[in-house]
Amino acid sequence: MSSAPVTLHLRAESKPLEHRSALTPTTAKQLIDAGFNVIVERSTQRVFDDAEFEAIGAPLVDEFSWPSAPKDHLIIGLKELPEESFPLVHEHIQFAHCYKNQGGWKDVLSRYHNGNGTLYDIEFLTDDKGRRVAAFGFHAGFAGAAIGLLNWAWQLEHEQPLTEVEWYPNETALVEDVKKAVESAVSRTGAKLPSVLVIGALGRCGSGAVDLLRKVGLPEENIIKWDMAETAKGGPFEEIVQSDIFINCIYLSMQIPPFVTMDTLNTRERKLSVIVDVSADTTNPFNPVPVYTVATTFKEPTVPVELENGPKLSVISIDHLPSMLPREASEAFSAALLPSILELPDRENARVWTEAKDLYKKHVARL
């Protein structure tokens, strides 16, 4: 172990409506107690108040000041950095979304390469069994299912798209709002409760979606749970077309046949009216839901699928869904990440960090 303490610089998130945090006051306190220096940027949108970090002994610095931090400080955050061109000289811990040929991946990696920096992509920090050490999957699925039901209920009574979706202070408040929206729409229109097909139902994300559906009172027979066994035959799948809501929760690691296509959806017999693409692989050339091209936002949560036949169909493809429950999602994620963070002083030898660095070098070599 190095005798010099590791300094972590928690940057403020710049993505609009991103309220989550890679570190929380709870985990920051644990790191400080373990001998780390933790510096926290002030933030106008983080769910945790600046004062909460100050109270546990973390010094506060200006928002977005990380580019001028000393080079030996590790910069930790969640979502991708703003699209700039200056070289990145630090070691960064974050989700970068650039290892699977996403749009602009070369521009992102070039910044690290040009500045002699390093990327430790949180998505690829894995344990000795290859499982991600920390992920927001459960809360992504939970929030995605919630917005899917809100949108389904909204479309029963409105011609215009679903309006802006707000974040919630806790899970209970979200569940109550969704339950009320569904019950009200069903009562006023006479519609039956929706059937919801979840693909990836056995994973973290899918289990979160199923949990929400159960908590709002959807009958078990209305929750269709698919995983690898059900999709092994390869899509497209007519069962999706005949469901009211389709929630895609898979982790895309290779090219697979599409789950739906414009042709399979363009039929008068279609029941499907809402697609929730929790995976949100919008720019991935192998996206198995290739019926839309833009990521949606909490401000504009849906995008229409232009079809000649069948009911109105819209897609929800928000790529930071857990921000709908930012405090609970952050606490769970940060607690899961903490054991790996505690190994940072020995990151030249600790497997989780050496493998992440090797993966970074592998992708930089593709430039």
Side-chain angles (χ1 to χ4, degrees):
M1 296 278 286
S2 170
S3 58
V6 169
T7 298
L8 286 169
H9 183 118
L10 177 64
R11 61 176 172 83
E13 298 295 327
S14 57
K15 192 178 186 76
L17 303 178
E18 179 54 85
H19 306 294
R20 293 173 297 168
S21 180
L23 299 180
T24 70
T26 302
T27 53
K29 176 67 162 58
Q30 291 172 292
L31 288 167
I32 292 170
D33 290 346
F36 284 68
N37 294 324
V38 179
I39 296 171
V40 177
E41 288 187 2
R42 298 179 186 276
S43 173
T44 55
Q45 64 183 38
R46 187 187 294 128
V47 68
F48 303 99
D49 292 336
D50 294 342
E52 293 182 67
F53 284 102
E54 203 166 31
I56 55 92
L60 301 179
V61 295
D62 290 342
E63 192 172 32
F64 310 132
S65 61
W66 62 264
S68 59
K71 286 186 181 181
D72 63 344
H73 289 193
L74 278 77
I75 313 301
I76 185 168
L78 286 180
K79 300 303 289 184
E80 56 269 32
L81 298 172
E83 293 183 11
E84 304 276 1
S85 58
F86 63 84
L88 299 172
V89 302
H90 298 91
E91 296 173 89
H92 284 255
I93 303 168
Q94 65 172 90
F95 290 98
H97 305 296
C98 62
Y99 286 175
K100 295 189 287 186
N101 296 324
Q102 292 100 326
W105 72 269
K106 288 185 178 181
D107 296 331
V108 173
L109 281 178
S110 293
R111 295 182 64 194
Y112 292 96
H113 179 63
N114 294 340
N116 201 30
T118 300
L119 168 65
Y120 300 106
D121 196 313
I122 298 173
E123 183 177 350
F124 300 94
L125 299 181
T126 58
D127 62 19
D128 55 9
K129 296 180 181 177
R131 185 173 171 84
R132 291 167 65 179
V133 300
F136 283 101
F138 182 89
H139 287 95
F142 196 95
I147 300 179
L149 283 174
L150 288 171
N151 187 43
W152 176 84
W154 176 272
Q155 288 183 170
L156 287 178
E157 300 188 86
H158 301 84
E159 285 298 318
Q160 67 270 36
L162 179 67
T163 54
E164 181 175 356
V165 176
E166 302 288 344
W167 64 277
Y168 284 77
N170 56 62
E171 175 188 302
T172 301
L174 173 60
V175 168
E176 284 303 311
D177 266 12
V178 175
K179 188 183 295 187
K180 287 177 185 176
V182 171
E183 289 176 351
S184 176
V186 168
S187 173
R188 287 202 291 256
T189 67
K192 294 181 179 179
L193 288 171
S195 61
V196 184
L197 194 154
V198 181
I199 293 188
L202 298 182
R204 286 168 168 157
C205 178
S207 63
V210 171
D211 189 50
L212 179 283
L213 297 172
R214 287 172 173 159
K215 283 180 174 171
V216 299
L218 211 61
E220 200 65 26
E221 60 267 24
N222 287 46
I223 307 172
I224 306 161
K225 300 177 284 291
W226 278 24
D227 211 86
M228 294 180 70
E230 291 79 7
T231 59
K233 63 183 179 181
F237 300 108
E238 178 64 18
E239 292 91 338
I240 295 175
V241 179
Q242 293 308 318
S243 301
D244 295 295
I245 301 172
F246 164 46
I247 305 177
N248 176 35
C249 291
I250 71 161
Y251 178 75
L252 185 64
S253 59
M254 66 183 79
Q255 184 173 8
I256 59 174
F259 294 151
V260 292
T261 66
M262 294 296 281
D263 286 340
T264 63
L265 295 175
N266 192 24
T267 170
R268 291 189 180 91
E269 286 71 42
R270 171 174 51 82
K271 289 178 59 182
L272 186 70
S273 63
V274 177
I275 295 174
V276 185
D277 193 4
V278 180
S279 302
D281 285 302
T282 312
T283 63
N284 192 312
F286 304 141
N287 180 8
V289 190
V291 298
Y292 72 101
T293 57
V294 298
T296 63
T297 65
F298 286 114
K299 192 173 184 64
E300 296 180 355
T302 68
V303 59
V305 180
E306 303 296 343
L307 299 165
E308 294 179 2
N309 297 302
K312 180 194 304 181
L313 175 61
S314 57
V315 174
I316 295 157
S317 58
I318 300 168
D319 65 3
H320 56 128
L321 281 166
S323 224
M324 197 175 191
L325 289 169
R327 184 172 287 268
E328 290 163 320
S330 296
E331 291 286 13
F333 174 86
S334 195
L337 185 61
L338 182 64
S340 298
I341 296 290
L342 288 169
E343 292 187 314
L344 277 171
D346 193 35
R347 61 189 176 282
E348 295 303 319
N349 300 301
R351 183 198 55 79
V352 67
W353 298 108
T354 59
E355 289 185 358
K357 190 170 185 177
D358 288 345
L359 187 62
Y360 160 71
K361 290 178 178 177
K362 172 186 172 182
H363 286 283
V364 163
R366 299 166 58 206
L367 293 173

